[in-house]
Amino acid sequence: MVKTKDLRAMSQEELENRLLEAKKEQFNLRIQQSSGQLQNVAVIKNIRREIAKINTLLAERKKNS
């Protein structure tokens, strides 16, 4: 799980790239869960929260600029 402090240190482009990676990871986890291969379902919750943090930071930066 990425801390908010670390995300705030990233540039706009890095955040957008990390968001894309997190969404891909979330998709893969959902596929694994539906096929019964996913052992630790708590990972999905963590990815959802990370995506929300990144979206919040991107919105803050857009509002402030």
Side-chain angles (χ1 to χ4, degrees):
M1 183 102 192
V2 179
K3 295 192 177 204
T4 307
K5 183 173 93 174
D6 298 334
L7 290 174
R8 287 189 187 278
M10 291 183 178
S11 69
Q12 181 83 10
E13 186 176 315
E14 289 174 329
L15 280 175
E16 290 170 356
N17 289 336
R18 181 62 191 136
L19 179 62
L20 184 62
E21 290 174 15
K23 285 185 176 186
K24 286 180 183 178
E25 187 176 349
Q26 182 185 34
F27 175 76
N28 290 332
L29 289 172
R30 283 198 322 244
I31 297 297
Q32 287 178 13
Q33 184 182 26
S34 67
S35 65
Q37 295 176 348
L38 186 63
Q39 298 295 323
N40 186 5
V41 294
V43 177
I44 294 174
K45 178 179 162 184
N46 292 338
I47 290 297
R48 282 182 36 223
R49 287 186 176 178
E50 183 175 334
I51 290 171
K53 284 180 185 180
I54 294 171
N55 282 330
T56 301
L57 287 174
L58 289 173
E60 281 180 3
R61 290 181 182 186
K62 184 177 180 181
K63 181 182 176 185
N64 291 333
S65 62

